[in-house]
């Protein structure tokens, strides 16, 4: 049973063709959804619609059972910290505004602050913190009241590896353990690939794919990336030919997507000029798949 249903949702910024068009999907309790797409694909527009910041100009967004604003935890891309409050009060405000008592709010603030390692900054003003520390305050404020639906727009922006992983571990536990729903955009595709069970892939405001992350990856991982290492000097003509065929050339390696070239032909041409020292292949990651799909779609 879907918790959140989007049907043909469109939104365009006034006087432009920019925005999102005909987005439809159903999200269930326990889903941890990666919202991906390159710059300008429409991720923030969609997340702002889900957050209620914008209203659809066409189509509908419904929740079943009906939830209130307090069931949402929202961390927008643009920072929304109250600069005149200290760190502790900023986070606590997120709890108090959802109707928790002062005592409950204090306990909830301590709990999320422990997880995001913010207790040492409690009395500090947000503008005395680093960008990554401010981002953690904003995320803590969005999550402090343990919302049913978490809408996080680039929550790991500015976070180092340790905090990004800590946050994704927390979200994983909330989604898969406590059956809450999270929709998260990020340019850290490796992290999304590792943690999320579903993916919404937007391209130029359109829905390119929505479904299981595993299915999306395995449908594309039939192709592999081949990397050939060589010694010797390659002629400029061969370099140009390889690049024309979509190969990536580095110092002494050439790599390309298996399905996009005639492998025997490339090996023949390489052997005519250089010595091949090793050859390996790797399954494509989410990043390579998206780059490949966007290139095909936009060609
Ligand atoms: N306030 C605005 N007025 C007009 N156009 C806008 C506005 N905000 C965004 N857009 C345009 O709408 C499209 C979608 O933007 P959006 O911010 O949703 O993309 P995004 O996928 O979140 O990108 P990014 O990865 O860069 O954050 C883009 O073409 C963008 O230029």
């Amino acid at each position: 049973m879907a918790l959140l249903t989007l049907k043909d949702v469109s939104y365009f910024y006034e006087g432009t063709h920019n925005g999102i068009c005909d987005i439809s999907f159903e999200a269930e309790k326990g889903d941890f959804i990666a919202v991906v797409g390159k710059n300008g694909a429409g991720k923030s527009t969609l997340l702002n619609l889900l957050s209620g910041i914008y209203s659809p100009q066409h189509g509908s967004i419904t929740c079943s059972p009906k939830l209130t604003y307090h069931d949402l935890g929202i961390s927008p891309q643009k920072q929304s910290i109250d600069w005149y409050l200290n760190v502790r009060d900023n986070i606590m405000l997120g709890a108090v505004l959802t109707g928790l008592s002062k005592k409950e709010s204090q306990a909830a603030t301590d709990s999320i602050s422990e997880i995001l390692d913010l207790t040492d900054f409690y009395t500090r003003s947000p503008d005395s913190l680093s960008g990554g520390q401010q981002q953690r305050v904003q995320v803590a404020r969005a999550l402090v009241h343990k919302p049913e639906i978490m809408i996080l727009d680039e929550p790991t922006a500015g976070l180092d590896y340790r905090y990004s992983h800590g946050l994704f571990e927390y979200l994983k536990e909330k989604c898969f353990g406590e059956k809450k729903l999270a929709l998260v955009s990020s340019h850290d595709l490796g992290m999304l690939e590792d943690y999320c069970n579903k993916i919404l892939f937007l391209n130029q405001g359109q829905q390119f794919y929505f479904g299981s992350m595993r299915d999306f990856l395995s449908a594309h991982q039939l192709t592999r990336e081949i990397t050939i290492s060589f010694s010797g000097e390659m002629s400029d003509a061969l370099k140009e030919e390889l690049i024309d065929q979509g190969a990536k050339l580095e110092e002494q390696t050439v790599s390309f997507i298996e399905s996009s070239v005639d492998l025997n032909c490339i090996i023949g041409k390489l052997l005519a000029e250089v010595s091949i020292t090793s050859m390996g292949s790797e399954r494509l990651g989410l990043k390579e798949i998206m780059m490949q799909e966007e290139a095909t779609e936009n060609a």
Side-chain angles (χ1 to χ4, degrees):
M1 174 72 182
L3 174 62
L4 187 66
T5 305
L6 279 81
K7 225 171 158 197
D8 302 329
V9 171
S10 299
Y11 181 93
F12 296 99
Y13 294 94
E14 210 179 320
T16 75
H17 296 290
N18 301 330
I20 54 165
C21 185
D22 285 341
I23 308 296
S24 298
F25 65 88
E26 292 187 344
E28 291 164 30
K29 283 184 174 207
D31 277 344
F32 189 175
I33 302 175
V35 180
V36 301
K38 60 186 178 187
N39 288 143
K43 302 178 298 294
S44 296
T45 307
L46 175 74
L47 295 177
N48 286 339
L49 282 156
L50 294 175
S51 306
I53 296 169
Y54 305 151
S55 300
Q57 291 158 349
H58 180 262
S60 61
I61 301 176
T62 50
C63 246
S64 174
K66 250 191 161 33
L67 300 176
T68 69
Y69 189 70
H70 294 165
D71 295 311
L72 296 183
I74 301 164
S75 177
Q77 186 176 22
K78 289 184 184 136
Q79 266 185 358
S80 63
I81 294 177
D82 282 303
W83 299 99
Y84 54 87
L85 296 176
N86 68 23
V87 166
R88 184 165 186 265
D89 291 345
N90 250 293
I91 301 168
M92 207 158 117
L93 189 65
V96 171
L97 287 177
T98 62
L100 294 184
S101 70
K102 192 171 173 201
K103 205 168 159 201
E104 287 168 333
S105 298
Q106 276 168 347
T109 300
D110 288 344
S111 164
I112 194 74
S113 300
E114 287 282 334
I115 290 159
L116 291 169
D117 199 15
L118 287 167
T119 50
D120 286 350
F121 304 124
Y122 265 176
T123 55
R124 297 254 300 261
S125 159
D127 59 15
S128 73
L129 301 181
S130 73
Q133 290 160 349
Q134 289 171 359
Q135 179 71 1
R136 273 152 50 209
V137 173
Q138 172 163 314
V139 170
R141 182 155 130 167
L143 301 179
V144 64
H145 58 296
K146 302 190 174 70
E148 288 305 312
I149 302 182
M150 296 166 277
I151 300 169
L152 309 176
D153 198 350
E154 301 201 23
T156 55
L159 299 199
D160 65 31
Y161 181 82
R162 180 173 55 125
Y163 290 119
S164 297
H165 268 275
L167 175 60
F168 269 61
E169 280 294 327
Y170 175 81
L171 295 173
K172 180 174 139 187
E173 169 52 26
K174 291 286 145 195
C175 294
F176 304 153
E178 298 177 25
K179 298 291 168 211
K180 296 182 187 293
L181 166 64
L183 295 108
V184 179
S185 81
S186 172
H187 289 283
D188 190 341
L189 299 175
M191 191 94 89
L192 296 175
E193 177 180 347
D194 286 347
Y195 281 92
C196 295
N197 68 323
K198 291 195 180 159
I199 173 170
L200 173 66
F201 181 2
L202 300 174
N203 186 21
Q204 296 185 347
Q206 313 264 350
Q207 179 169 334
F208 184 78
Y209 178 91
F210 175 79
S212 143
M213 176 72 85
R214 196 178 298 163
D215 291 351
F216 181 75
L217 293 173
S218 54
H220 291 83
Q221 283 173 338
L222 301 171
T223 51
R224 295 170 301 160
E225 185 173 47
I226 311 281
T227 301
I228 297 174
S229 302
F230 60 88
S231 62
E233 195 61 32
M234 201 189 285
S235 68
D236 288 344
L238 181 54
K239 280 182 192 166
E240 256 177 53
E241 191 181 337
L242 292 173
I243 290 167
D244 281 350
Q245 291 200 38
K248 274 189 292 181
L249 269 175
E250 278 163 27
E251 286 271 300
Q252 296 298 128
T253 63
V254 53
S255 49
F256 43 84
I257 307 299
E258 185 186 29
S259 60
S260 64
V261 294
D262 179 344
L263 185 58
N264 287 333
C265 173
I266 286 208
I267 291 177
K269 286 183 175 175
L270 281 170
L271 284 173
E273 294 197 10
V274 296
S275 305
I276 292 179
T277 51
S278 70
M279 199 166 124
S281 69
E282 257 187 45
R283 290 185 158 210
L284 301 188
L286 181 56
K287 182 172 139 203
E288 290 78 22
I289 294 171
M290 281 181 53
M291 284 168 64
Q292 203 187 359
E293 289 299 310
E294 280 165 347
T296 315
E297 189 69 9
N298 299 335

